[in-house]
């Protein structure tokens, strides 16, 4: 075989490889919330040509972007917060989201480097921030005159973390 024949054969094998051709739709059929998955991944144009690893990285990036957005919102709320209990809850949420951002950065690196244990461990911890943030507000709801100002954000973050974990699981297995 000539070197050009080998190059053509390698290109054909790459194109036919399932990992290289993981369409958004086919990937999302394997997760729990198909519509959310498709909408989320398609919000990044790179998902159209991404393999499964790339889709897991995209989901991690989107989850990280949301966590940074929520963290900034918490900082703004802390500055305008009047009550001691509300500041305490927001401070707890701030710390939780700070750790979440670090965990998502670790997960992104682990996915890119195919380190399953590190990636899955970091992503499993991602559910702590939104749920524990809401728990902090729920525990003090009897003294606070307002519901959690982060409820919708925490729900969105939890959905993104779930999708990211599912895509990483598909990639690593």
């Amino acid at each position: 075989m000539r070197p050009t024949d080998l190059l053509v054969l390698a290109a054909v094998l790459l194109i036919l490889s399932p990992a290289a051709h993981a369409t958004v739709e086919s990937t999302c059929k394997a997760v729990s919330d198909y519509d959310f998955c498709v909408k989320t991944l398609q919000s990044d144009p790179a998902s159209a040509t991404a393999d499964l690893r790339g889709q897991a990285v995209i989901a991690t990036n989107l989850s990280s972007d949301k966590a940074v957005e929520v963290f900034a919102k918490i900082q703004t709320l802390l500055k305008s917060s009047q009550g001691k209990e509300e500041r305490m809850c927001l401070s707890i949420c701030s710390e939780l989201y700070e750790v979440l951002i670090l965990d998502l950065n670790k997960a992104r690196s682990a996915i890119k480097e195919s380190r399953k244990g590190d990636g899955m461990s970091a992503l499993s911890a991602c559910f702590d921030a939104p749920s524990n943030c809401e728990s902090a507000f729920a525990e003090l709801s009897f003294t606070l005159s307002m519901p959690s100002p982060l409820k919708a954000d925490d729900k969105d973050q939890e959905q993104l973390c779930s999708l990211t974990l599912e895509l990483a699981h598909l990639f690593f297995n």
Side-chain angles (χ1 to χ4, degrees), residues 11-84:
V12 168
L13 289 175
L14 181 63
I15 290 169
L16 295 176
S17 165
H21 247 6
T23 66
V24 168
E25 292 80 8
S26 65
T27 298
C28 291
K29 285 179 183 174
V31 302
S32 61
D33 190 339
Y34 175 84
D35 292 335
F36 179 75
C37 177
V38 170
K39 181 182 85 167
T40 300
L41 288 179
Q42 286 181 344
S43 72
D44 186 328
S47 69
T49 57
D51 60 6
L52 192 50
R53 177 197 318 253
Q55 291 169 348
V57 169
I58 288 167
T60 306
N61 290 340
L62 293 169
S63 189
S64 180
D65 291 348
K66 180 64 179 179
V68 168
E69 176 189 312
V70 175
F71 181 78
K73 180 177 181 176
I74 293 167
Q75 301 315 303
T76 301
L77 290 169
L78 272 167
K79 289 176 185 171
S80 63
S81 174
Q82 301 296 318
K84 178 182 169 186

Side-chain angles (χ1 to χ4, degrees), residues 56-116:
V57 169
I58 288 167
T60 306
N61 290 340
L62 293 169
S63 189
S64 180
D65 291 348
K66 180 64 179 179
V68 168
E69 176 189 312
V70 175
F71 181 78
K73 180 177 181 176
I74 293 167
Q75 301 315 303
T76 301
L77 290 169
L78 272 167
K79 289 176 185 171
S80 63
S81 174
Q82 301 296 318
K84 178 182 169 186
E85 292 87 1
E86 182 184 16
R87 275 194 307 278
M88 186 172 72
C89 290
L90 289 168
S91 293
I92 290 168
C93 293
S94 177
E95 290 174 23
L96 291 166
Y97 271 87
E98 194 168 7
V99 171
L100 172 60
I101 293 165
L102 294 173
D103 284 338
L104 288 166
N105 288 335
K106 289 177 195 173
R108 180 186 309 107
S109 295
I111 293 167
K112 286 181 177 179
E113 297 167 11
S114 296
R115 292 182 285 116
K116 180 180 181 177

